[in-house]
Amino acid sequence: MPETLVQIEPKPPRGDWRNPKVEFRKGAMCYSAAAKNLTYLGLPNPRAWQPADSDWKLPPDWKKIILDGMKDRLAKYRSFRLFMDICVRCGACADKCHFYLGTADPKNMPVARAELIRSVYRRYFTLTGRLFGSLAGGRELTEDVIKEWFYYFYQCTQCRRCSVFCPYGIDTAEITLIGRELLNLIGCNINWVMEPVANCYRTGNHLGIQPHGFKDSIDFAADEASEITGLDIEVPINRKGAEILFVMPSADYFATPHYYTLLGYMMLFREIGLDYTVSAYASEGGNFGSFASHELMKRLNAKIYDEARRLGVKWILGGECGHMWRVLHQYMDTMNGPADFLEVPVSPITGTVFEHARSTKMVHICEFTADLIHHGKIKLDPRRNDHWTVTYHDSCNPARGMGLLEEPRYILNHVSRRFHEMPENTIREQTFCCGSGAGLGTDENLEVRLRGGFPRANAVKYVKQKHGVNLLTCICAIDKATLPTLLEYWVPGVEVGGIHELVGNALVMTGEKERTTDLRGEPLAREEVMAGGESEAAHA
Amino acid sequence: MNALYSVLVVLALVLAGLAGGRVEAGRAVLTLAVPYAALAIFLVGFFARVLRWAWVPVPFHIPTTCGQQKALAWIKPSKVDNPSSRWGVFARMAAEILLFRSLFRNNRARMAEKRLILGESKYLWLGALAFHWALLLIQLRHLRLFIEPVPAWIDGLERLDSFFQVGAPQIYLSDVIVLAALAYLLYRRFRDPAVRFISLFTDYFALFLLLGVAVSGVLMRYFVRVDILSVKQFALSLAAFHPIDPSTLNPLFLAHLLLVCTLAAYFPFSKLMHMGGVFLSPTRNLANDSRRRRHVNPWNYPVKKHTYAEWEEEFRDKLKAAGIPLEADDAGNARTN
Amino acid sequence: MSVEAVIVERWVDRALKSYPSEMHSFLGGEKDPFRNPVGNTFRENLAALVHELLGTMDKEKIAGALDGLVRLRAVQNFTPGEALHFVFDLRPVIGEVSGAISDPLQSRIDELALMAFDQYMSCRERIFELRINELRMWARSAAAGEGGTP
């Protein structure tokens, strides 16, 4: 009988969560960090190994290293100590994790992810755990536990969505980052984090583009912007005495669709006559160190203030990037400040004093541009974006680590006439992660990324069907790098772009030639071309 | 298994309480040693734990922002969900502690159902909120046992609590709510396989212990009718550190007392410490003003950096070829400009 | 409840058993399509499939519904057999509900299975294609970079 032909047992339950066995499968795991990168950075235990190996070649005293590392961090981070102690396992966070939703693996519940390390904390650092062991929720630290940590801490994008719903604000990003720090102590790290970190450290940007290559990329983009507009656009590099240092994620100058956003910045700066410079030394805003440890975060981030000081600028403007802004907003001043050699940021065009950045002296490009639009300082013709029906994906870190929610929407509403929001519980502080953040956006990990990105894609699919959305805008370099692949798989027909790409399209520049294409070289829709000549200012 | 063990432990405690009252030595232990020891453990443990948290620095400024930031003057900030001032933080913490704001956040997409429906996650919020408020009310009511004369506000609370004036003795609303809420929280832990998956012995134990306390208390008030006067005399004497002879006390009361003492002594070692911890959570109790005011990390330390000078030295030829301005000439001397 | 609805419900129930048991009540219970995208994918698309199988067998609609399911199953942690097992879950369900399965329905289910297989393969191919595209893109940028750690 055919119905007995294929009989597969239903999946067994995970059973006891204390069982740490995990299976590393190709296509659903990240490769280990190459030894040369660890050596370059001076990190412990460089060696050749892969997660699927049975022997991970841990140092002989790995257990002591981990426990000492935990002890050290328990004394340094109130967050860590507190989050180890106060979780009541209510489960409110469970269905808030995109990996839980996409993988249907109960261990991907944020609470379970934290329990992986909490169980070890209880066993070795609490009285009840030491006395009663597993009855008090404790668990022995074994090599399998290390493997399990690696499996699940590299299946978290530190997006902090769970922390929005936790009654005590327990932040899994904090736990994951410290978990990864501990793994780093024994040399268990992934290449997609460590190679970019090593590259950034050496050359200034995560692909290891050297200064002349950086200049070529920037010049190439400037030429293209000049060609599109018929204006002479130049971008100064390492220019001393400029008023503003502009820092962007390096993907903006070597990857698409980031590149179109870069064109947008350049055109905007040219139009308002901004006195600025970019730096080849601090040519990366995105901070891959923040995916590995607080120390690496600081080592990479230090370049920005150092360079601002050397160049003698007054303040710093930052481009569209997610994790970069988490670091800039919540860590930079603390780690590498005080920035007392800079001045409180003032927009040279509108005179607005950016009081909210009084100490850090760094302003988000969306804040800057929204302020320009609000004061009517730029002319925008949103009809030039009529070929796009747009939705906006709040990138996790600007949303939940800053609260930058309205500025990009304000800009969008002025540069586009067709903007539709995704469902309420998938945007703003409840936004779903792209599934590839925090160093997971590598090709060998694609299947896990596709699972993690499914909840986001599911909401995109809904607005595509309902409103005909064909462009997802976002302000994060990782989003721009990984969402195109994700959407090509889940929702073909929706492209990904940056806010300033649309600004660049809509920006009516003084003396520009008539635009027939958008920044991507796609022809504008007919009525837009007709309107192009007498385009009126459409700003507020 | 975890649930079973915790039921057994709680039952053993009840039996110990009931049986202990029958012998004089047991009575003495239960009414003297246990309450004072429990109180001491609770006080020392609770404050030690809180102080230990408070002792650990908050190196970074990491609030979870749940609304619009305060940046540009003309964009309305979300003052409570993304506070930028102390008052905002105060309001956020108050909403968190008094109303369980974050648990309430579980909204459903409206398109899914045409009517407004309380989802399971709203029930979690409701159950948790009902439990905590009822428990607080019950504890305040219990103060009447320790204070003579009974202050008017406690009488007022009791009148409010027995608002419906049903039954004799009149039924306290808080008793009903606390039992119902505990039953729901327990049911939820059993019923939802995902929550059951993560539940530890301690999770069940806390629930069963609280349930034991509540049930024994309800039995005493409504069914067994313990002599409340002798209980009060005993409580007053305990509070005055002059304990009286406990021979007149009902065994059920001793069981109740033992459960309460266990709860108090267990409290500092358990997840119940979230009561103190919630105030210290750095993702909630910090204002989102990290760009306006510098947050200081007391253990900030210098790290190894790749300095500009090293970088320029390493890429000197390429920088020169690309025409990027340099700081030092080929001999390494700083250029004057 | 109509026979069709009963079949859908039981089919969804059975199909979701391919996930760890801890997940069943959430996947089956939570109705918000954005909070429970996996469960919703099953409910929506299996309902569409039953409707077509018992109705006019519109190829386009079947392909659409299957696509939603197979696309998801193809990236989750399943062998090909496990991933497509949900198609064969329909047989016992119909057996339970109506006693026997008519021959035409048998062949419709077979057809469904073959279509699912085609789609599964095309999804897997798509995944590898996307992976290669990414690799190629990174390789191109890395070549532009030529730097990196020595």
Side-chain angles (χ1 to χ4, degrees), chain B residues 50-85:
Chain B
V50 170
L51 285 178
R52 195 164 61 167
W53 287 328
W55 193 255
V56 180
V58 178
F60 301 109
H61 201 89
I62 54 166
T64 308
T65 59
C66 300
Q68 171 61 32
Q69 65 171 351
K70 180 180 161 63
L72 299 169
W74 44 274
I75 293 180
K76 196 170 166 284
S78 170
K79 287 183 181 155
V80 176
D81 286 329
N82 188 351
S84 57
S85 66

Side-chain angles (χ1 to χ4, degrees), chain C residues 5-78:
Chain C
V6 174
I7 292 177
V8 172
E9 190 176 290
R10 293 200 189 169
W11 194 11
V12 170
D13 214 42
R14 243 172 205 271
L16 290 178
K17 291 226 158 57
S18 55
Y19 296 101
S21 61
E22 287 86 1
M23 300 297 299
H24 295 166
S25 86
F26 172 70
L27 294 175
E30 175 59 58
K31 296 284 189 280
D32 182 332
F34 303 107
R35 261 180 81 171
N36 180 12
V38 170
N40 185 57
T41 298
F42 273 87
R43 262 195 304 279
E44 218 169 67
N45 294 313
L46 290 185
L49 286 180
V50 170
H51 191 72
E52 291 308 316
L53 282 170
L54 301 181
T56 53
M57 198 71 183
D58 180 332
K59 277 275 168 61
E60 215 162 284
K61 285 187 181 152
I62 291 196
L66 260 185
D67 180 76
L69 286 158
V70 173
R71 201 165 283 277
L72 174 65
R73 302 287 283 183
V75 300
Q76 292 181 322
N77 217 353
F78 295 116

